[in-house]
Amino acid sequence: MHGLTQHTTAVKNERAEMAAERLRLERELEERGRELAALQDELREFKARYARTVGSRLAELADVEREIRRAESRLLGLEEGEDEAEEESSGRAEKRQTFKSSMRKLFWSVAQVFHPDRAADEDEARRRHSIMAEASRAYNEGDAESLEALLGDEALRSHCATARDDREDLSGRLSHLREELLTVEFGLKRTRQDSLYQLMLRVEDEARHGRDALAAESQRIERLITKARRRLEHFGS
């Protein structure tokens, strides 16, 4: 009787510990999930700002420089100026197509490893679904590095390959929470490694010293555009 009482107490203590761990993981997952969402929102806003203040200027400068090359070709009596421009445009289109094809292959490779249809049970399917959600985000944003990182993440592969035993609901929930947390941590890591995120940090650091780094870069490019347009005007005079 004494032994049965000890066993019952031990089971109750174990379940209490598991319940406490579940609560801790749920809170951590919620906190880290909010952190990831805020980080991704912040980066999207910065990308839009970068495109407005710097990206558009770079595109304008590239257009003017292309016009200069065409004018130089005409001045020298070369007929291939426009052909070169067309080839350059065709080359860019080909590169974009190659990149899209590469992204599709990467995404397909990730799906081959992590797709929910390959799961052995519902818990594993939910875990795989969260991984594929990250893969879909990376594919839609053209983030090849994240897709490659997913493929090379042995921890995620190991979790997906591990066979599952029949366990109590609480134990299964703990495992699912840990796996979801692992995916969120991966998302945080990849976002912080993004080159534009690193630039965003530098811009924020400059702002703390009263300097607008993006505006300064935009002004620098604007001066280059002005000089380039003056050169272009000389060809027309």
Side-chain angles (χ1 to χ4, degrees):
M1 185 68 177
H2 180 67
L4 180 60
T5 301
Q6 285 184 326
H7 175 73
T8 302
T9 301
V11 170
K12 288 182 178 179
N13 289 340
E14 182 181 4
R15 293 188 65 82
E17 290 174 1
M18 293 174 70
E21 176 67 2
R22 172 182 175 176
L23 182 60
R24 185 192 69 79
L25 287 171
E26 286 175 340
R27 288 175 176 172
E28 184 175 0
L29 180 60
E30 182 180 1
E31 179 182 342
R32 300 296 275 173
R34 285 198 303 265
E35 184 179 351
L36 176 59
L39 209 61
Q40 291 174 336
D41 286 344
E42 186 180 7
L43 182 57
R44 276 193 291 268
E45 290 175 5
F46 178 78
K47 285 180 177 179
R49 181 187 167 197
Y50 179 86
R52 289 193 305 270
T53 58
V54 178
S56 59
R57 295 293 179 270
L58 287 172
E60 183 178 356
L61 178 60
D63 288 340
V64 178
E65 289 177 339
R66 186 160 48 250
E67 289 298 323
I68 290 174
R69 289 194 297 272
R70 289 176 179 173
E72 288 175 338
S73 296
R74 289 193 296 269
L75 183 64
L76 295 173
L78 301 177
E79 298 296 333
E80 64 270 17
E82 292 186 3
D83 291 338
E84 289 177 356
E86 290 177 1
E87 287 177 6
E88 182 180 348
S89 177
S90 176
R92 287 198 299 269
E94 184 177 349
K95 287 181 180 179
R96 285 195 296 270
Q97 187 60 37
T98 300
F99 178 74
K100 289 180 180 179
S101 177
S102 175
M103 288 294 295
R104 283 194 295 269
K105 289 178 181 178
L106 268 175
F107 183 79
W108 176 251
S109 296
V110 172
Q112 286 288 91
V113 176
F114 296 111
H115 198 280
D117 288 349
R118 302 174 68 89
D121 52 42
E122 291 184 4
D123 284 341
E124 185 176 330
R126 283 194 295 268
R127 174 170 49 78
R128 286 175 176 268
H129 178 76
S130 64
I131 295 172
M132 286 305 300
E134 169 63 16
S136 296
R137 178 208 63 77
Y139 177 76
N140 291 330
E141 295 182 6
D143 186 356
E145 290 185 2
S146 287
L147 289 175
E148 290 171 350
L150 278 171
L151 279 176
D153 194 311
E154 294 299 331
L156 286 179
R157 281 175 174 266
S158 176
H159 278 298
C160 284
T162 301
R164 295 180 176 275
D165 300 323
D166 293 333
R167 291 170 292 186
E168 295 182 0
D169 291 342
L170 186 55
S171 178
R173 176 60 178 163
L174 288 177
S175 179
H176 178 60
L177 286 169
R178 292 188 183 103
E179 290 152 0
E180 282 192 332
L181 188 57
L182 180 66
T183 303
V184 171
E185 293 291 350
F186 176 85
L188 285 166
K189 178 182 176 182
R190 292 302 309 143
T191 301
R192 288 172 176 144
Q193 289 176 341
D194 189 288
S195 57
L196 272 180
Y197 178 79
Q198 295 298 319
L199 176 60
M200 182 184 74
L201 294 181
R202 292 195 292 272
V203 169
E204 290 176 349
D205 184 61
E206 290 288 309
R208 284 190 285 271
H209 293 84
R211 296 186 291 269
D212 189 336
L214 286 186
E217 179 65 7
S218 179
Q219 291 168 6
R220 184 186 72 81
I221 298 171
E222 191 66 45
R223 290 192 292 271
L224 293 176
I225 292 172
T226 300
K227 290 180 180 179
R229 288 195 180 283
R230 286 173 182 167
R231 285 185 60 201
L232 186 58
E233 288 173 1
H234 287 312
F235 287 105
S237 59

